[in-house]
Amino acid sequence: MERNGSNSSEPKKEIDQEENVKVIEWEEFEQELARLWSLSSALTEAKEKKQSLQQKLEPLIQVEAESLNRSNELEEMRGKLEARKMLMGDMSIDCKLAAEDAKRQEEQLNGEVRSLLVAGTALSVTRKHLLELHALLGGDKGYIRLKNLQKKLRTRQQYMVSQVSLLYPVKISSGPTQDRELESFPSSSRSGNSARSKPVNQASLTILGLQLTMPPSKIMSFFTDKKEVQRSATALGYVAHAVSLIASYLKVPLRYPLRLGGSRSCIIDYAPSVETTFSDSSSSTALSTNLKHVEFPLYLDGQDTTKASYAVFLLNKDLEQLLNFIGVKSLGPRHVLANLKELIRTIQSADFIDF
């Protein structure tokens, strides 16, 4: 069956080929042959032209491809250049800011260097001065020189305190107790122990001719002598001024500072005060301690004598502080004028120079 099919297809092909065959007459053969020959030569010439054109076009195509590649590379490089320009612009701005910051820091450092140079110069001068002082104070000669300076200082303090004693003289008033009072002052020593244990009578001493009467413990009445109260306030003003001057000469800061005002002088006590504060977050209370400045009058303020008595007590504490500074004990808590006289006498003594 298959063989019969194949044999039947071959005659069909032969029939088609026979149909495609062109029959040319002999008379037309030469013309057809010439035409074919011319076509063949034209085809050959066209092939040659094609080859020559192809040979000419290949370099052009290659150049075009290279130029296209170069153009792409150029575009890429142009993009990179634009990015680099933007980066350079940012870097330029950063450089300007850094330069301004550096200039500002340089100016600041120049100022600090100048201040350091000034401080270094002052330090070198101070060091030179300290070396000179150390050379002066070194050895036995330096110690002697220091002692001489201390003696000059003590002598100067003695002289200024003597002026205070002339300005506010504390004297023993004349009376039957004069001999007894004179015994207690010369016998006092640096330890505060006197040869005789007799107390000094406060009423026998006067300052600038005024006696100091201690404020009564009772409330003032209508029959209280107002002149005596005024004289006592004036005497306390004198004592306060004398104490203030002596403390400044001795360079002693008083524990209870004085506000001078003559017969209306006051003494200040920085007493701690406890205040209760309530917090908002809780109902518990908190205690805070602050130093409160309280003034007490060295005169009878109205009818109440408690503040005046406490003020005299604080003034005597200042006198006790000055006495302890020069190595002498106080004569008693209510002996204001006696303590002042003992303070002035001790400073004016010869032992004060070698203290």
Side-chain angles (χ1 to χ4, degrees):
M1 294 295 291
E2 293 179 356
R3 289 180 180 178
N4 292 332
S6 61
N7 292 330
S8 62
S9 62
E10 287 178 357
K12 288 181 180 180
K13 289 181 180 180
E14 290 177 358
I15 293 170
D16 293 335
Q17 289 178 358
E18 288 179 356
E19 289 179 355
N20 292 331
V21 173
K22 184 179 180 181
V23 178
I24 301 172
E25 296 295 332
W26 179 257
E27 292 80 6
E28 297 176 357
F29 178 74
E30 291 182 358
Q31 295 178 357
E32 189 70 21
L33 183 62
R35 189 177 65 82
L36 291 174
W37 181 257
S38 63
L39 289 174
S40 176
S41 62
L43 181 61
T44 303
E45 185 179 357
K47 287 182 178 180
E48 290 177 356
K49 287 182 179 180
K50 179 182 178 182
Q51 288 179 356
S52 64
L53 287 173
Q54 187 176 0
Q55 290 177 355
K56 290 179 181 180
L57 286 175
E58 283 180 358
L60 293 175
I61 293 171
Q62 187 176 1
V63 170
E64 185 69 19
E66 290 178 357
S67 65
L68 184 60
N69 292 333
R70 293 287 179 84
S71 178
N72 293 333
E73 292 177 357
L74 184 61
E75 290 295 330
E76 186 179 357
M77 292 178 65
R78 190 172 297 168
K80 291 181 178 179
L81 181 61
E82 291 296 330
R84 187 64 60 87
K85 284 182 179 180
M86 293 178 64
L87 180 61
M88 291 295 293
D90 295 339
M91 291 179 65
S92 176
I93 295 174
D94 293 340
C95 288
K96 288 181 180 179
L97 294 176
E100 292 177 357
D101 190 15
K103 186 176 180 180
R104 185 169 57 254
Q105 290 183 359
E106 183 180 0
E107 293 176 354
Q108 184 179 359
L109 287 175
N110 288 334
E112 292 179 356
V113 167
R114 285 193 295 269
S115 63
L116 285 175
L117 290 175
V118 173
T121 304
L123 183 62
S124 62
V125 172
T126 305
R127 184 175 181 275
K128 183 178 178 181
H129 185 59
L130 286 176
L131 290 175
E132 291 176 355
L133 291 177
H134 185 268
L136 289 174
L137 296 177
D140 296 336
K141 292 182 179 180
Y143 179 74
I144 294 173
R145 189 177 292 108
L146 179 62
K147 293 297 291 183
N148 291 334
L149 289 176
Q150 288 179 346
K151 285 183 179 180
K152 289 181 181 179
L153 176 62
R154 299 292 183 185
T155 304
R156 182 63 178 171
Q157 289 174 341
Q158 267 190 347
Y159 173 75
M160 291 188 291
V161 171
S162 67
Q163 297 300 311
V164 175
S165 66
L166 293 176
L167 183 62
Y168 298 112
V170 179
K171 296 181 180 180
I172 300 175
S173 60
S174 60
T177 59
Q178 181 177 4
D179 296 336
R180 184 182 63 182
E181 300 300 334
L182 288 172
E183 292 175 351
S184 63
F185 287 99
S187 59
S188 298
S189 62
R190 285 294 178 89
S191 61
N193 298 325
S194 58
R196 302 177 185 271
S197 59
K198 298 178 181 180
V200 179
N201 187 4
Q202 181 75 10
S204 64
L205 295 175
T206 61
I207 179 168
L208 206 61
L210 296 177
Q211 287 188 344
L212 176 60
T213 304
M214 301 300 290
S217 58
K218 298 180 182 179
I219 297 176
M220 291 178 60
S221 64
F222 179 76
F223 301 99
T224 304
D225 189 357
K226 301 297 189 298
K227 290 185 178 180
E228 182 181 355
V229 171
Q230 183 62 33
R231 285 194 295 269
S232 179
T234 304
L236 286 173
Y238 293 158
V239 175
H241 191 200
V243 170
S244 178
L245 290 175
I246 295 174
S248 65
Y249 298 155
L250 297 179
K251 301 296 182 183
V252 177
L254 293 175
R255 171 64 181 84
Y256 304 102
L258 293 161
R259 186 173 65 80
L260 301 177
S263 61
R264 309 293 288 180
S265 299
C266 295
I267 192 165
I268 301 171
D269 183 15
Y270 291 95
S273 61
V274 179
E275 297 180 355
T276 305
T277 58
F278 295 89
S279 59
D280 297 335
S281 59
S282 61
S283 59
S284 60
T285 59
L287 297 178
S288 60
T289 304
N290 298 320
L291 288 178
K292 190 176 181 180
H293 142 206
V294 182
E295 289 189 359
F296 293 94
L298 288 167
Y299 54 90
L300 289 178
D301 187 9
Q303 303 297 321
D304 188 8
T305 61
T306 305
K307 291 183 177 180
S309 299
Y310 187 66
V312 174
F313 172 76
L314 295 182
L315 180 62
N316 194 66
K317 281 294 182 182
D318 284 342
L319 282 167
E320 183 179 354
Q321 179 185 359
L322 294 175
L323 287 168
N324 292 335
F325 178 76
I326 61 175
V328 179
K329 290 185 178 180
S330 174
L331 298 174
R334 297 178 62 85
H335 296 78
V336 177
L337 291 180
N339 283 331
L340 178 60
K341 185 171 181 63
E342 181 66 13
L343 177 65
I344 294 174
R345 187 199 65 78
T346 305
I347 293 175
Q348 289 180 334
S349 66
D351 294 338
F352 180 76
I353 302 295
D354 299 327
F355 173 64

